[in-house]
Amino acid sequence: MLPVLPSDQVIGPDQMRFKVVPNLPLHDVIYSTAAGADGKVYLGVSTEFGGAVHAHFVCYDPATDTLRDIVHLEDLLPEGRDRLRPPHAKIHTAMMAHPDGRIFWVSHTTPPIEGERVHRSHELFGDPERGYLGSCAFVYDPATDRAQNLGRVYPHCGTRFATLNPERDEIYTVSYPTAHFNIFRINTGESKDLGRISRYDAIGPCWSSQGCAYTTDDDGYLIRYDPDKETLERLPVRLPSPPGHMGHRNRVRRIKAG
């Protein structure tokens, strides 16, 4: 076990462990992690600039200090080997641990198509032959050691952020680049679009144990989702703006419940 340090003490190299994910030279970033009920840490090994490759779902076991590559998303996607489409190259800030031990995540894209140098999400949006087909929701159950694709969250769009409502087995997301608030029902695979909440995409919903989910629009106002009513409400609460700034694009990337 690593020592627990006071909050005001700087963590030095002697309190840290370093691991390099092997055999994935084109994967260059990890955006998402989740602590499982089994004591293991789950990682979304992704790429931002490395190439047209799909993300990997990886497990780190602190007890043995070992990494295990559980699944390559390519193997769980019907379009996994279609090199003319943008890959599901990221598990962005969209990995969630369920209290029952399962790990959920939603895929995302922005790296380029194989053979191209830049991502063209807006040019290719909705293209039937070369466009991104849309994020999928996935689950891994450590009890059965099985990973599964639960279905398409929405067509054409990626997912930067997602949050889990474990009381209803629902995942809430905001789509990229269209900024629609969406409900994905884990048990049925149903997806419900509640419409656009913002002009931009970088909005991260947060599940609160008080019974609602929260996010912001890009004017800095809090938006509350009520799962009982399936309604969105723009609250009269706004993030503070600096002097001379009217709030436009005064949004947050991620919010967390205390």
Side-chain angles (χ1 to χ4, degrees):
M1 295 291 291
L2 297 178
V4 178
L5 301 177
S7 59
D8 59 348
Q9 183 174 336
V10 176
I11 297 175
D14 55 325
Q15 283 93 35
M16 301 175 71
R17 293 177 182 170
F18 298 88
K19 298 295 288 185
V20 176
V21 180
N23 305 319
L24 297 176
L26 296 179
H27 293 73
D28 51 22
V29 64
I30 296 174
Y31 287 115
S32 52
T33 63
D38 56 2
K40 297 176 181 178
V41 179
Y42 295 91
L43 316 167
V45 182
S46 308
T47 180
E48 184 71 55
F49 306 107
V53 292
H54 296 279
H56 285 247
F57 177 71
V58 174
C59 176
Y60 172 70
D61 187 347
T64 59
D65 192 30
T66 55
L67 288 166
R68 179 187 167 212
D69 192 349
I70 293 178
V71 69
H72 184 193
L73 265 58
E74 176 179 292
D75 297 330
L76 296 179
L77 291 157
E79 70 273 25
R81 290 171 175 80
D82 187 346
R83 302 308 181 198
L84 292 180
R85 295 186 185 277
H88 295 248
K90 298 179 183 179
I91 304 171
H92 211 278
T93 317
M95 186 178 290
M96 303 143 284
H98 196 288
D100 68 9
R102 293 178 294 169
I103 308 295
F104 293 89
W105 72 92
V106 181
S107 58
H108 180 49
T109 190
T110 52
I113 292 171
E114 189 170 281
E116 298 188 358
R117 298 184 63 184
V118 295
H119 173 60
R120 299 186 290 126
S121 58
H122 294 83
E123 291 179 55
L124 296 174
F125 189 88
D127 187 302
E129 295 183 358
R130 303 197 70 190
Y132 183 61
L133 290 181
S135 293
C136 290
F138 302 84
V139 62
Y140 171 71
D141 188 347
T144 61
D145 194 25
R146 182 189 178 203
Q148 181 182 0
N149 185 338
L150 298 175
R152 200 79 60 181
V153 178
Y154 21 63
H156 314 311
C157 292
T159 303
R160 281 184 171 175
F161 304 93
T163 192
L164 173 70
N165 178 345
E167 298 170 14
R168 292 175 178 263
D169 280 344
E170 294 177 341
I171 294 173
Y172 307 132
T173 67
V174 176
S175 61
Y176 165 90
T178 56
H180 283 224
F181 189 95
N182 193 85
I183 308 158
F184 183 85
R185 306 191 201 281
I186 292 168
N187 296 328
T188 65
E190 176 193 359
S191 188
K192 187 168 184 177
D193 185 344
L194 293 189
R196 193 167 192 174
I197 64 169
S198 177
R199 289 185 294 276
Y200 298 96
D201 63 275
I203 315 295
C206 173
W207 168 243
S208 167
S209 59
Q210 278 96 24
C212 293
Y214 292 85
T215 184
T216 65
D217 64 15
D218 51 16
D219 285 323
Y221 286 96
L222 283 173
I223 295 175
R224 177 170 59 201
Y225 170 68
D226 186 332
D228 288 327
K229 301 175 182 177
E230 290 192 2
T231 56
L232 293 167
E233 178 185 6
R234 192 191 204 203
L235 302 178
V237 180
R238 195 178 195 184
L239 298 175
S241 295
H245 192 282
M246 299 305 293
H248 176 57
R249 300 194 75 171
N250 195 34
R251 64 194 190 274
V252 297
R253 286 273 186 151
R254 187 71 168 166
I255 53 179
K256 299 290 283 184

